[in-house]
């Protein structure tokens, strides 16, 4: 009986953890304060005194403005997470606006702490994500793709590599919600070829099965 209860408890905890993202708040709100000089670090951000909270702590303005896409990939992500909107602290949600130049790309990346749901409001986007490594080593990671038009919605599961590419001759705009106040982002190419200090060319040439000169060239781009 005791063993059965223990197994039930473990399964219940595992189930709750599997569906958890950011911790649930224990009060109405926990407006973040600037803790860049704090000597104590917490998982999230320190709460502002509720008596000092104002409506401005829950307000952000500017998502009507297009981002500057004059960069090598031709896209610009404008985030609204806890770093821009303090009232998001502990609420487990955030938002981004993404602008794309013609043939602009939001390159393959992952959000380690969030699922993303994206809606296109202008232009045509080719989007997709890749699954994690299959249990069967003889199988390959599966790619899911779709071409999206204004009003279309697509979901990128938490932690999986995904991308968006503007396949149109005009600019595109999308908005996305994320299931974390601070979803994080790892841009694959930047992380692999542009880290500081750089990853050893011995490691990368072995991993990608290419000559070291190819790796050095790629590292030179970042």
């Amino acid at each position: 009986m005791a063993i059965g209860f223990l197994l039930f408890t473990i399964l219940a905890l595992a189930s709750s953890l599997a569906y958890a993202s950011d911790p649930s708040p224990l009060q109405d709100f926990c407006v973040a304060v600037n803790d860049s000089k704090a000597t104590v670090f917490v998982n999230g951000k320190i709460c502002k005194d509720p008596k000092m909270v104002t409506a401005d702590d829950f307000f952000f303005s500017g998502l009507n403005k297009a981002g500057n896409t004059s960069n090598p990939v031709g896209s610009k992500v404008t985030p609204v997470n806890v770093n821009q909107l303090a009232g998001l602290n502990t609420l487990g949600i955030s938002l981004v606006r993404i602008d794309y130049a013609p043939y602009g790309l939001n390159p393959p990346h992952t959000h380690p702490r969030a699922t993303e749901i994206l809606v296109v409001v202008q232009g045509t986007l080719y989007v997709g994500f890749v699954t994690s490594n299959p249990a069967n080593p003889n199988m390959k990671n599966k790619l899911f793709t779709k071409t999206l038009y204004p009003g279309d919605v697509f979901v990128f599961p938490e932690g999986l590599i995904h991308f968006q590419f503007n396949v149109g001759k005009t600019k595109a705009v999308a908005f996305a919600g994320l299931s974390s106040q601070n979803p994080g982002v790892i841009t694959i190419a930047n992380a692999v070829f542009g880290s500081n200090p750089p990853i050893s060319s011995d490691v990368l040439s072995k991993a990608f099965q290419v000559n070291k000169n190819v790796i050095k060239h790629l590292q030179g781009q970042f």
Side-chain angles (χ1 to χ4, degrees):
M1 185 70 177
I3 294 175
F5 178 78
L6 179 60
L7 288 173
F8 175 83
T9 303
I10 292 172
L11 288 172
L13 288 172
S15 176
S16 65
L17 290 172
Y19 290 98
S21 185
D22 289 354
S24 298
L26 301 177
Q27 58 279 322
D28 286 346
F29 49 79
C30 173
V31 173
V33 298
N34 184 358
D35 55 2
S36 60
K37 297 181 180 179
T39 56
V40 177
F41 294 90
V42 297
N43 185 24
K45 289 184 176 290
I46 299 169
C47 298
K48 185 177 184 179
D49 184 342
K51 295 189 293 294
M52 304 299 293
V53 170
T54 69
D56 285 340
D57 290 316
F58 304 97
F59 175 78
F60 177 90
S61 180
L63 282 190
N64 60 316
K65 300 176 182 177
N68 183 2
T69 59
S70 299
N71 54 65
V73 295
S75 70
K76 174 64 176 179
V77 178
T78 303
V80 184
N81 57 46
V82 70
N83 296 309
Q84 291 79 35
L85 182 54
L88 288 175
N89 195 38
T90 75
L91 298 186
I93 194 170
S94 59
L95 178 72
V96 297
R97 170 180 172 143
I98 314 170
D99 290 275
Y100 311 82
Y103 305 110
L105 171 70
N106 188 11
H109 62 282
T110 178
H111 302 292
R113 295 179 290 276
T115 292
E116 175 180 344
I117 183 167
L118 177 138
V119 59
V120 178
V121 297
Q122 181 180 340
T124 305
L125 296 179
Y126 171 71
V127 307
F129 68 86
V130 182
T131 61
S132 56
N133 294 356
N136 183 346
N138 296 317
M139 295 179 64
K140 293 186 176 181
N141 305 64
K142 187 171 183 178
L143 171 66
F144 292 88
T145 64
K146 196 77 175 175
T147 299
L148 306 182
Y149 303 93
D152 289 347
V153 175
F154 198 80
V155 173
F156 305 103
E158 181 174 339
L160 298 187
I161 295 172
H162 59 284
F163 60 87
Q164 303 107 33
F165 179 57
N166 181 7
V167 294
K169 297 180 180 180
T170 60
K171 67 180 182 179
V173 181
F175 289 86
L178 299 110
S179 61
S180 172
Q181 67 180 44
N182 185 26
V185 60
I186 303 170
T187 306
I188 307 305
N190 299 57
V192 173
F193 298 110
S195 65
N196 183 24
I199 299 173
S200 166
S201 59
D202 291 325
V203 172
L204 295 180
S205 62
K206 186 76 170 180
F208 288 94
Q209 296 291 289
V210 296
N211 188 280
K212 289 183 182 179
N213 290 330
V214 175
I215 296 300
K216 290 179 181 178
H217 171 75
L218 290 171
Q219 289 177 324
Q221 308 308 304
F222 298 92

